Amino acid sequence: MKCKRIFCAALAALLLCLCACQKDGAQSVPETAVPSAVSENAETTLAAVPDSTAAGELVLPEKSNGAPADGKHANGAVQSQSAATQTGTQTPAAPAPAVTQTPVSPEIPQTQTVSLSVTCHNAIAYGILDNPNFQGVVPENGVYFDSDAVEFSEGESVLTVLKRCLKSQKIVYSIGADGYVRSIGGLAERDCGAQSGWLYKVNGELPNVSCKYYTLQAGDCVEFAYTCIKGDV
């Protein structure tokens, strides 16, 4: 019986100790553990913030590679802003002034003069007028055309000027495509012999080219003459 009382007393004392320990643990949590953790975190946070925070400036910690903490590339942001600024302020290029071109009038060839004669004195001497077929066709004085001031344009040939003059006097002619003169005023080659025909001279000389290809010069003296035998012109 005495042992049972001692056991009960010891059990009661143990329970009281347990209750007291539980009360002490519950009170120590708000007083020590929580404030201590908050205090340590607060100190850590304050230690991490630079001194400039106190002046109202927020400085983001930089990464080791120089990029901002938010992960955006600083140069990219600056370039975007610069591009936006340029786009917004770009002035459109002014249109090029219209160029006024003065119309160029075509050059008018200068008119110059030469002398031109078309004669058949050798045919008259040959006796062409004795042939009734040529009476009233060949001029008795042997001159079809004679002028000291025949106008021509620069670059014209002897043949071009000859045709123009004969047409102006309504004198018929027959000239080949190569410029060979077959007949003038009804008087043709071989009418006064096998060697007879029309020749031309420029400044007293017999050119070695067709009159179609001889280019005139100002002041030239051109003669078309009918020949009966070699050397009479």
Side-chain angles (χ1 to χ4, degrees), residues 32-182:
T32 57
V34 175
S36 176
V38 173
S39 177
E40 291 177 358
N41 292 336
E43 291 176 359
T44 302
T45 304
L46 292 175
V49 177
D51 294 340
S52 60
T53 307
E57 299 177 358
L58 179 59
V59 179
L60 298 177
E62 297 183 354
K63 294 184 179 181
S64 60
N65 59 359
D70 57 359
K72 296 182 179 179
H73 196 285
N75 291 335
V78 173
Q79 291 176 357
S80 299
Q81 293 177 359
S82 177
T85 302
Q86 292 178 0
T87 303
T89 60
Q90 185 176 5
T91 304
V99 179
T100 303
Q101 295 183 352
T102 303
V104 180
S105 57
E107 295 184 1
I108 300 175
Q110 295 181 354
T111 302
Q112 304 177 69
T113 60
V114 294
S115 63
L116 174 64
S117 64
V118 181
T119 62
C120 60
H121 296 296
N122 293 324
I124 300 296
Y126 181 82
I128 191 68
L129 294 179
D130 296 335
N131 189 332
N133 294 329
F134 292 96
Q135 293 179 1
V137 176
V138 175
E140 294 183 0
N141 64 353
V143 178
Y144 283 99
F145 182 87
D146 189 11
S147 175
D148 292 334
V150 176
E151 294 184 351
F152 77 101
S153 298
E154 184 177 356
E156 285 189 318
S157 67
V158 170
L159 179 61
T160 301
V161 174
L162 174 65
K163 287 181 176 181
R164 185 164 59 242
C165 291
L166 295 178
K167 287 180 180 179
S168 67
Q169 300 299 316
K170 297 181 180 180
I171 300 174
V172 296
Y173 60 84
S174 175
I175 300 176
D178 57 352
Y180 178 71
V181 180
R182 294 191 179 95

Side-chain angles (χ1 to χ4, degrees), residues 126 180 188-198 226-229:
Y126 181 82
Y180 178 71
E189 59 180 345
R190 298 186 178 90
D191 284 344
C192 296
Q195 297 180 347
S196 63
W198 289 95
Y226 191 87
T227 179
C228 294
I229 58 176

